[in-house]
PDB file of all heavy atoms in Angstrom:
ATOM      1  N   GLY A  82      32.053  27.438  21.045  1.00  0.00           N
ATOM      2  CA  GLY A  82      30.798  26.758  21.313  1.00  0.00           C
ATOM      3  C   GLY A  82      29.634  27.731  21.379  1.00  0.00           C
ATOM      4  O   GLY A  82      28.506  27.460  20.867  1.00  0.00           O
ATOM      5  N   PHE A  83      29.878  28.891  21.957  1.00  0.00           N
ATOM      6  CA  PHE A  83      28.830  29.925  22.082  1.00  0.00           C
ATOM      7  C   PHE A  83      28.457  30.448  20.697  1.00  0.00           C
ATOM      8  O   PHE A  83      27.271  30.624  20.341  1.00  0.00           O
ATOM      9  CB  PHE A  83      29.324  31.046  22.980  1.00  0.00           C
ATOM     10  CG  PHE A  83      28.288  32.067  23.298  1.00  0.00           C
ATOM     11  CD1 PHE A  83      26.951  31.727  23.515  1.00  0.00           C
ATOM     12  CD2 PHE A  83      28.620  33.425  23.436  1.00  0.00           C
ATOM     13  CE1 PHE A  83      25.978  32.676  23.850  1.00  0.00           C
ATOM     14  CE2 PHE A  83      27.658  34.383  23.738  1.00  0.00           C
ATOM     15  CZ  PHE A  83      26.353  34.012  23.957  1.00  0.00           C
ATOM     16  N   VAL A  84      29.487  30.697  19.854  1.00  0.00           N
ATOM     17  CA  VAL A  84      29.230  31.183  18.509  1.00  0.00           C
ATOM     18  C   VAL A  84      28.435  30.167  17.706  1.00  0.00           C
ATOM     19  O   VAL A  84      27.467  30.525  17.003  1.00  0.00           O
ATOM     20  CB  VAL A  84      30.584  31.489  17.774  1.00  0.00           C
ATOM     21  CG1 VAL A  84      30.367  31.672  16.269  1.00  0.00           C
ATOM     22  CG2 VAL A  84      31.210  32.722  18.353  1.00  0.00           C
ATOM     23  N   ASN A  85      28.797  28.893  17.819  1.00  0.00           N
ATOM     24  CA  ASN A  85      28.093  27.847  17.091  1.00  0.00           C
ATOM     25  C   ASN A  85      26.630  27.761  17.516  1.00  0.00           C
ATOM     26  O   ASN A  85      25.715  27.586  16.672  1.00  0.00           O
ATOM     27  CB  ASN A  85      28.785  26.506  17.310  1.00  0.00           C
ATOM     28  CG  ASN A  85      29.915  26.275  16.291  1.00  0.00           C
ATOM     29  OD1 ASN A  85      29.925  26.889  15.223  1.00  0.00           O
ATOM     30  ND2 ASN A  85      30.867  25.444  16.662  1.00  0.00           N
ATOM     31  N   SER A  86      26.394  27.858  18.801  1.00  0.00           N
ATOM     32  CA  SER A  86      25.016  27.773  19.331  1.00  0.00           C
ATOM     33  C   SER A  86      24.174  28.938  18.817  1.00  0.00           C
ATOM     34  O   SER A  86      23.015  28.744  18.415  1.00  0.00           O
ATOM     35  CB  SER A  86      25.031  27.735  20.867  1.00  0.00           C
ATOM     36  OG  SER A  86      25.695  26.597  21.338  1.00  0.00           O
ATOM     37  N   LEU A  87      24.750  30.153  18.836  1.00  0.00           N
ATOM     38  CA  LEU A  87      24.043  31.316  18.319  1.00  0.00           C
ATOM     39  C   LEU A  87      23.755  31.185  16.832  1.00  0.00           C
ATOM     40  O   LEU A  87      22.692  31.503  16.343  1.00  0.00           O
ATOM     41  CB  LEU A  87      24.833  32.591  18.597  1.00  0.00           C
ATOM     42  CG  LEU A  87      24.942  33.019  20.065  1.00  0.00           C
ATOM     43  CD1 LEU A  87      25.893  34.210  20.211  1.00  0.00           C
ATOM     44  CD2 LEU A  87      23.574  33.388  20.637  1.00  0.00           C
ATOM     45  N   PHE A  88      24.777  30.684  16.114  1.00  0.00           N
ATOM     46  CA  PHE A  88      24.609  30.470  14.649  1.00  0.00           C
ATOM     47  C   PHE A  88      23.487  29.493  14.360  1.00  0.00           C
ATOM     48  O   PHE A  88      22.681  29.691  13.447  1.00  0.00           O
ATOM     49  CB  PHE A  88      25.910  30.024  14.043  1.00  0.00           C
ATOM     50  CG  PHE A  88      25.805  29.683  12.571  1.00  0.00           C
ATOM     51  CD1 PHE A  88      25.757  30.686  11.621  1.00  0.00           C
ATOM     52  CD2 PHE A  88      25.720  28.372  12.131  1.00  0.00           C
ATOM     53  CE1 PHE A  88      25.636  30.408  10.286  1.00  0.00           C
ATOM     54  CE2 PHE A  88      25.581  28.080  10.787  1.00  0.00           C
ATOM     55  CZ  PHE A  88      25.563  29.097   9.853  1.00  0.00           C
ATOM     56  N   ASP A  89      23.439  28.398  15.147  1.00  0.00           N
ATOM     57  CA  ASP A  89      22.379  27.364  14.913  1.00  0.00           C
ATOM     58  C   ASP A  89      20.978  27.898  15.092  1.00  0.00           C
ATOM     59  O   ASP A  89      20.098  27.639  14.264  1.00  0.00           O
ATOM     60  CB  ASP A  89      22.612  26.188  15.865  1.00  0.00           C
ATOM     61  CG  ASP A  89      23.835  25.372  15.459  1.00  0.00           C
ATOM     62  OD1 ASP A  89      24.294  25.504  14.321  1.00  0.00           O
ATOM     63  OD2 ASP A  89      24.359  24.623  16.355  1.00  0.00           O
ATOM     64  N   ILE A  90      20.772  28.722  16.145  1.00  0.00           N
ATOM     65  CA  ILE A  90      19.401  29.216  16.345  1.00  0.00           C
ATOM     66  C   ILE A  90      19.038  30.278  15.311  1.00  0.00           C
ATOM     67  O   ILE A  90      17.871  30.371  14.876  1.00  0.00           O
ATOM     68  CB  ILE A  90      19.214  29.800  17.788  1.00  0.00           C
ATOM     69  CG1 ILE A  90      20.144  31.026  18.019  1.00  0.00           C
ATOM     70  CG2 ILE A  90      19.383  28.739  18.843  1.00  0.00           C
ATOM     71  CD1 ILE A  90      19.768  31.815  19.261  1.00  0.00           C
ATOM     72  N   ILE A  91      20.006  31.055  14.840  1.00  0.00           N
ATOM     73  CA  ILE A  91      19.740  32.026  13.784  1.00  0.00           C
ATOM     74  C   ILE A  91      19.417  31.306  12.485  1.00  0.00           C
ATOM     75  O   ILE A  91      18.491  31.653  11.756  1.00  0.00           O
ATOM     76  CB  ILE A  91      20.941  32.991  13.621  1.00  0.00           C
ATOM     77  CG1 ILE A  91      21.069  33.866  14.866  1.00  0.00           C
ATOM     78  CG2 ILE A  91      20.790  33.893  12.365  1.00  0.00           C
ATOM     79  CD1 ILE A  91      22.317  34.739  14.876  1.00  0.00           C
ATOM     80  N   LYS A  92      20.222  30.267  12.175  1.00  0.00           N
ATOM     81  CA  LYS A  92      20.000  29.488  10.941  1.00  0.00           C
ATOM     82  C   LYS A  92      18.661  28.800  10.994  1.00  0.00           C
ATOM     83  O   LYS A  92      17.886  28.812   9.984  1.00  0.00           O
ATOM     84  CB  LYS A  92      21.119  28.474  10.776  1.00  0.00           C
ATOM     85  CG  LYS A  92      21.050  27.641   9.487  1.00  0.00           C
ATOM     86  CD  LYS A  92      22.224  26.725   9.360  1.00  0.00           C
ATOM     87  CE  LYS A  92      22.186  25.916   8.065  1.00  0.00           C
ATOM     88  NZ  LYS A  92      20.999  25.039   8.000  1.00  0.00           N
ATOM     89  N   ASP A  93      18.308  28.205  12.117  1.00  0.00           N
ATOM     90  CA  ASP A  93      17.012  27.516  12.256  1.00  0.00           C
ATOM     91  C   ASP A  93      15.882  28.504  12.063  1.00  0.00           C
ATOM     92  O   ASP A  93      14.840  28.201  11.448  1.00  0.00           O
ATOM     93  CB  ASP A  93      16.899  26.858  13.629  1.00  0.00           C
ATOM     94  CG  ASP A  93      17.802  25.623  13.721  1.00  0.00           C
ATOM     95  OD1 ASP A  93      18.301  25.158  12.685  1.00  0.00           O
ATOM     96  OD2 ASP A  93      18.069  25.192  14.878  1.00  0.00           O
ATOM     97  N   TYR A  94      16.044  29.713  12.607  1.00  0.00           N
ATOM     98  CA  TYR A  94      14.973  30.735  12.471  1.00  0.00           C
ATOM     99  C   TYR A  94      14.810  31.180  11.008  1.00  0.00           C
ATOM    100  O   TYR A  94      13.686  31.307  10.520  1.00  0.00           O
ATOM    101  CB  TYR A  94      15.294  31.929  13.350  1.00  0.00           C
ATOM    102  CG  TYR A  94      14.308  33.046  13.165  1.00  0.00           C
ATOM    103  CD1 TYR A  94      13.039  32.966  13.721  1.00  0.00           C
ATOM    104  CD2 TYR A  94      14.632  34.182  12.410  1.00  0.00           C
ATOM    105  CE1 TYR A  94      12.122  34.001  13.542  1.00  0.00           C
ATOM    106  CE2 TYR A  94      13.730  35.196  12.249  1.00  0.00           C
ATOM    107  CZ  TYR A  94      12.473  35.119  12.804  1.00  0.00           C
ATOM    108  OH  TYR A  94      11.553  36.130  12.630  1.00  0.00           O
ATOM    109  N   VAL A  95      15.965  31.366  10.352  1.00  0.00           N
ATOM    110  CA  VAL A  95      15.880  31.789   8.938  1.00  0.00           C
ATOM    111  C   VAL A  95      15.266  30.702   8.091  1.00  0.00           C
ATOM    112  O   VAL A  95      14.460  30.969   7.165  1.00  0.00           O
ATOM    113  CB  VAL A  95      17.276  32.152   8.437  1.00  0.00           C
ATOM    114  CG1 VAL A  95      17.284  32.386   6.895  1.00  0.00           C
ATOM    115  CG2 VAL A  95      17.811  33.372   9.141  1.00  0.00           C
ATOM    116  N   ASP A  96      15.615  29.400   8.343  1.00  0.00           N
ATOM    117  CA  ASP A  96      15.101  28.302   7.562  1.00  0.00           C
ATOM    118  C   ASP A  96      13.595  28.104   7.765  1.00  0.00           C
ATOM    119  O   ASP A  96      12.908  27.628   6.876  1.00  0.00           O
ATOM    120  CB  ASP A  96      15.855  27.022   7.906  1.00  0.00           C
ATOM    121  CG  ASP A  96      17.310  27.055   7.420  1.00  0.00           C
ATOM    122  OD1 ASP A  96      17.611  27.926   6.535  1.00  0.00           O
ATOM    123  OD2 ASP A  96      18.129  26.279   7.908  1.00  0.00           O
ATOM    124  N   THR A  97      13.104  28.438   8.990  1.00  0.00           N
ATOM    125  CA  THR A  97      11.697  28.196   9.296  1.00  0.00           C
ATOM    126  C   THR A  97      10.987  29.474   9.716  1.00  0.00           C
ATOM    127  O   THR A  97      10.148  29.480  10.574  1.00  0.00           O
ATOM    128  CB  THR A  97      11.600  27.157  10.464  1.00  0.00           C
ATOM    129  OG1 THR A  97      12.255  27.689  11.610  1.00  0.00           O
ATOM    130  CG2 THR A  97      12.226  25.832  10.084  1.00  0.00           C
ATOM    131  N   SER A  98      11.396  30.582   9.064  1.00  0.00           N
ATOM    132  CA  SER A  98      10.860  31.881   9.451  1.00  0.00           C
ATOM    133  C   SER A  98       9.353  31.989   9.281  1.00  0.00           C
ATOM    134  O   SER A  98       8.683  32.760   9.937  1.00  0.00           O
ATOM    135  CB  SER A  98      11.548  32.992   8.654  1.00  0.00           C
ATOM    136  OG  SER A  98      11.366  32.750   7.266  1.00  0.00           O
TER     137      SER A  98
END
Side-chain angles (χ1 to χ4, degrees):
F83 188 36
V84 167
N85 274 336
S86 297
L87 291 173
F88 176 77
D89 288 342
I90 62 167
I91 293 173
K92 183 176 181 298
D93 290 344
Y94 175 74
V95 172
D96 291 343
T97 60
S98 58

